[in-house]
Amino acid sequence: MSGVQLTVDEGVARIIFQDEGGRNAVTLEFCRAFARVTRQAATDPDVKVIVLTAKGRFFSVGGDLADMLAHVDTVRDHVHEMTDLFHVGIRHLHHAPVPVVVALHGMAAGGGMSIALAGDLIVAGKSGKFNSGYTRSGLTPDGGLSWLLPRLVGPVQAFRIMALNQSIGSEEALRLGLVTKVVEDADLDEEVEAMVAALRDMPTGVLGTLKKLTREGAGRSFEAQLDIEGETIARRAESPETLAILRSFLSGG
């Protein structure tokens, strides 16, 4: 059982981790399914928002260490196969032309933390927690964590978080800039749905363009980003949908 489900309805693709008994651990089967459903969600032209949620008490505890030991004779090849597939899924989320919203409750550890931080907007319940977990097991990060985390909190805090494996609760995560908003667990679904509704109603393609600007801008000079912003806003301005919105706005509609 892969433990990953995809549903698409009214422009919203929902990726649901549902291996409650296995604490939504990252296994080879999980990675295969994760790569598949993220591709489907990211390439569906009717999808305007991707939502990641999890069933059970844990978002994801990350890699299944027992599974690694079960393949001890071929563990290097086994882990390579897992990470290759896992990274395909992470890339799909990172490059998806629509916003990715994460509903975080319970622990997101190891690879689960990498998945959560691949989101563009992360709404955390009070029970939401992060724990890198890798170095405690003699491992190093995957899923882009060593790239994402320093860009969110700076290299000094990122090293602390990954080296010491201290659990970070939702309120600290908000202070560090790891999550977008913290709500009571009972209000998590309602808050996520309100955010999804607002995102879904945005003009077609504008959020994907914004995502591309912000994700890729960190690698450019300020002058280069200004040039790209100028070209991008000019292209958006000539689109029929944008022109219709502007006309409606000016006419008081």
Side-chain angles (χ1 to χ4, degrees):
M1 176 179 171
S2 70
V4 185
Q5 180 187 41
L6 171 67
T7 65
V8 180
D9 184 49
E10 296 184 348
V12 181
R14 300 180 191 275
I15 297 172
I16 306 164
F17 305 152
Q18 53 182 2
D19 182 12
E20 297 182 46
R23 302 183 299 174
N24 297 314
V26 177
T27 64
L28 181 56
E29 286 304 308
F30 175 99
C31 293
R32 286 182 179 133
F34 182 62
R36 182 181 70 253
V37 301
T38 52
R39 176 187 58 78
Q40 292 170 343
T43 58
D44 187 332
D46 295 325
V47 167
K48 300 191 74 173
V49 186
I50 298 172
V51 181
L52 268 65
T53 62
K55 292 184 177 180
R57 293 175 48 234
F58 299 87
F59 181 78
S60 172
V61 295
D64 187 336
L65 302 183
D67 180 60
M68 290 186 191
L69 289 176
H71 295 82
V72 66
D73 292 336
T74 57
V75 67
R76 182 171 180 169
D77 290 339
H78 180 68
V79 172
H80 256 306
E81 184 177 6
M82 284 181 59
T83 55
D84 285 349
L85 290 164
F86 187 46
H87 291 172
V88 166
I90 294 292
R91 287 188 182 97
H92 287 154
L93 297 178
H94 185 80
H95 296 295
V98 297
V100 176
V101 179
V102 176
L104 177 67
H105 74 275
M107 179 61 76
M113 183 173 179
S114 299
I115 294 171
L117 294 186
D120 301 296
L121 295 161
I122 306 169
V123 183
K126 287 288 184 67
S127 70
K129 293 182 180 67
F130 292 110
N131 191 301
S132 173
Y134 289 97
T135 60
R136 182 173 53 240
S137 304
L139 300 169
T140 49
D142 63 353
L145 188 63
S146 63
W147 188 93
L148 291 165
L149 198 55
R151 283 161 174 77
L152 290 169
V153 302
V156 173
Q157 288 288 359
F159 187 82
R160 173 185 69 85
I161 291 167
M162 291 185 286
L164 298 179
N165 304 296
Q166 296 168 332
S167 290
I168 298 172
S170 57
E171 295 292 350
E172 183 183 359
L174 182 63
R175 289 194 298 272
L176 288 169
L178 294 177
V179 301
T180 309
K181 189 172 185 178
V182 176
V183 299
E184 298 292 337
D185 281 0
D187 299 328
L188 182 58
D189 289 344
E190 182 179 353
E191 184 65 34
V192 168
E193 291 310 309
M195 186 175 287
V196 167
L199 294 170
R200 186 176 52 197
D201 290 342
M202 291 290 176
T204 302
V206 69
L207 294 178
T209 303
L210 174 62
K211 176 174 176 174
K212 187 177 177 66
L213 279 170
T214 54
R215 293 240 173 186
E216 296 180 0
R220 302 189 188 104
S221 70
F222 182 59
E223 294 300 327
Q225 186 73 356
L226 287 175
D227 290 341
I228 290 171
E229 282 185 344
E231 178 60 29
T232 300
I233 193 173
R235 284 201 307 269
R236 291 294 312 175
E238 71 175 354
S239 74
E241 183 180 20
T242 298
L243 291 172
I245 292 169
L246 296 178
R247 291 188 185 105
S248 176
F249 179 77
L250 290 175
S251 67

